[in-house]
Structure formats: structure tokens, C-alpha cells
Amino acid sequence: VDTGVLEMVEESVARMGGAISALVVGNHDPRAFSAGANLANFIAMIEAQDWAAIDAFIARGQRAYTALARAEAPSVAAVRGLALGGGCELALHCQARAVHLEAKIGLPEHSLGLLPGWGGTTRMLMQTGAPEVALGLLTRAAPAPSGREAMALGMLPAGDTIVMHEGDVIGAAFEMARALRARTSPSTDAPCFPARMPEAASALVHSLASRVGGLSPADQAVVEEIAGVLTGASSEDELMDLERAAFLRMAQVPLTLSRIRHILETGKPLKT
């Protein structure tokens, strides 16, 4: 995901409800829906200490994805292969998803010293309604190994469609989009937000540390930031503001740059 993808989303959303009556988001490469944000871009901005540019990029992604979620016309993500990080966030902001059984889905930003900043943190809380569950999903050691497991974990809504054959995913997404378009009224399901309770953040961190057998100081700092977002707001807009502010703080931690470089060079998270 880079500025080109965000432009695609912005331009599509501007036409939804008019020229576009329903939207399918996907591609014809079975290897990946999207493996995430272009990390080389983040390295350049962090090295330049261009925090304003990072803040603007995160804000733009939040606006584009939120506009997609709130668009007048329905959208369906056709998910095959990898759907990670910013790509997973894009899929989560569609109204529904057709997901290949063997898709690998996750939000691994914590392994880089960051959190999902394009609404992924917010979506996990909206979807689960439980900060502890959301924190567990946002700090998983590995992506969900299948679409079915992603749904069982709560990473995907129960109403999504799991598709057995990879070649059928895009067709299934189009069928879902047509069905959603035919509805006489949009869904009235309201997102679930727990009450704002920042004092609960430390309890969340302690609970997670106990479950995983302890956290390194660096990992604990990351988890504390995520927990602070999950317990610090009581509306979607407040959550997004906290999410973006936390991302900007985390990007300024020196270890974050080392973690991003390491995963680009080796393909594996840096152990801390």
C-alpha cells in the first residue's frame, strides 16, 4: 500500500453511490491481496525525521479507509494469499469480504514497534467490543493461517464468506457485492465501544504479559501504547485520533527504525 493505492480508494469512494453502485476491491495475483504498507517509504520519512509527513500519510490513510467504510454504496474485499498490515486494514474497512480458505490474515505492525494506524486498531475494538480480545489480535505472533481461523479468532466478522477454491474468490466477491447492492437499506448494526477507561490499560498489559510468559521492555512499551488506545476512547473518531497519535510517537522510537530495516533485509522480525 502506497500513495497510489490510497488514490485508488479516494477516487473510487468519490464515485460510489453514483457511477459505482457496488465495489469489489482485489487483484488478479493469487499470492497476495496486499502484504501491507510500503515500508521503504516509512524508512525514508523516519530517517529524515519528517514526522509531519508521517502524520499526514497516516491521516490520509485513515480518511480514505473510513470514507470507504462509510460510503453510500457497498464494498467487498476479494482476499487471496497474504492480507497483512495496511492491506488487512483495507479489507477490514470494506463492508464484507470473500476470503480464500488458505488466506493468511494479520496485523503484524507490533513486530515493527508500531500499531495499525489506518484504522486497524480501531476496527479490532469495534469488531470485538472487548479491549482484551482486540489486544490479543493486535499482538499475535503470526498471522491467522487460514480464513476460517481468522473468523474463529474474531479477526473477521462471522458474516464474511470463506471460499474453498482460490479461483472462485473474485466471483464470490462480485456476487456478495450484487447482493449487498440489492438490499433496500444499509445494515443498522452499531459498532460496540466499551466505556473510556484508561486506568484499565495497565491491567490489559499485565494480563497479556502473563499469557505469553513475559514481555521484553521494548515489547512492553509497544503493548502499552496499543492498550492505551484501546482503553482511551469511547467513539470511532476518538479512537482514530488516539491511534494516529500513538503511531507517530512509536515511529520516533529509535528501535522502530531498526526493526523495519531488519524485516526488510531478512524477512523476519527483530528479536528484542
Side-chain angles (χ1 to χ4, degrees):
V1 179
D2 53 20
T3 55
V5 172
L6 295 184
E7 287 172 2
M8 176 198 73
V9 174
E10 291 163 348
E11 292 173 9
S12 298
V13 169
R15 299 167 60 200
M16 292 174 74
I20 296 176
S21 60
L23 179 71
V24 169
V25 182
N27 62 56
H28 292 286
D29 187 340
R31 295 174 301 173
F33 173 79
S34 168
N38 186 333
L39 295 179
N41 289 348
F42 278 111
I43 285 180
M45 288 187 285
I46 292 173
E47 287 179 335
Q49 297 189 9
D50 195 345
W51 313 123
I54 293 176
D55 187 48
F57 190 45
I58 295 302
R60 183 180 182 183
Q62 285 187 340
R63 286 194 303 271
Y65 284 10
T66 300
L68 177 64
R70 297 175 179 176
E72 295 181 20
S75 57
V76 179
V79 180
R80 304 184 293 177
L82 299 175
L84 304 177
C88 180
E89 290 177 288
L90 174 55
L92 290 173
H93 281 81
C94 291
Q95 187 172 337
R97 285 140 295 276
V99 182
H100 183 217
L101 177 65
E102 297 180 3
K104 306 294 188 291
I105 301 168
L107 294 164
E109 286 87 345
H110 68 96
S111 65
L112 303 177
L114 298 167
L115 85 172
W118 283 333
T121 305
T122 299
R123 284 277 143 183
M124 283 298 95
L125 184 59
M126 290 172 63
Q127 194 163 290
T128 64
E132 186 168 4
V133 175
L135 183 62
L137 293 174
L138 291 164
T139 55
R140 279 180 57 83
S146 72
R148 189 164 288 159
E149 184 161 342
M151 187 177 290
L153 289 167
M155 191 168 289
L156 297 176
D160 285 349
T161 297
I162 303 298
V163 182
M164 296 298 294
H165 300 292
E166 177 270 321
D168 294 337
V169 172
I170 291 179
F174 271 95
E175 289 303 315
M176 293 174 70
R178 292 186 185 101
L180 290 169
R181 181 181 61 184
R183 288 183 180 175
T184 56
S185 60
S187 171
T188 57
D189 294 341
C192 180
F193 291 102
R196 187 187 298 111
M197 46 181 183
E199 69 281 354
S202 60
L204 280 182
V205 175
H206 178 74
S207 175
L208 178 66
S210 298
R211 292 200 306 274
V212 302
L215 296 167
S216 69
D219 288 340
Q220 175 146 338
V222 171
V223 172
E224 285 174 352
E225 286 280 12
I226 299 172
V229 174
L230 294 173
T231 59
S234 57
S235 72
E236 183 178 3
D237 289 341
E238 284 184 0
L239 272 163
M240 298 284 265
D241 288 343
L242 290 179
E243 182 183 281
R244 189 175 76 255
F247 189 100
L248 190 60
R249 286 194 301 272
M250 297 163 85
Q252 295 179 59
V253 175
L255 182 58
T256 298
L257 180 58
S258 298
R259 282 172 145 167
I260 296 174
R261 283 177 174 156
H262 185 81
I263 205 162
L264 280 178
E265 291 169 0
T266 69
K268 298 178 181 179
L270 177 66
K271 293 183 179 181
T272 59

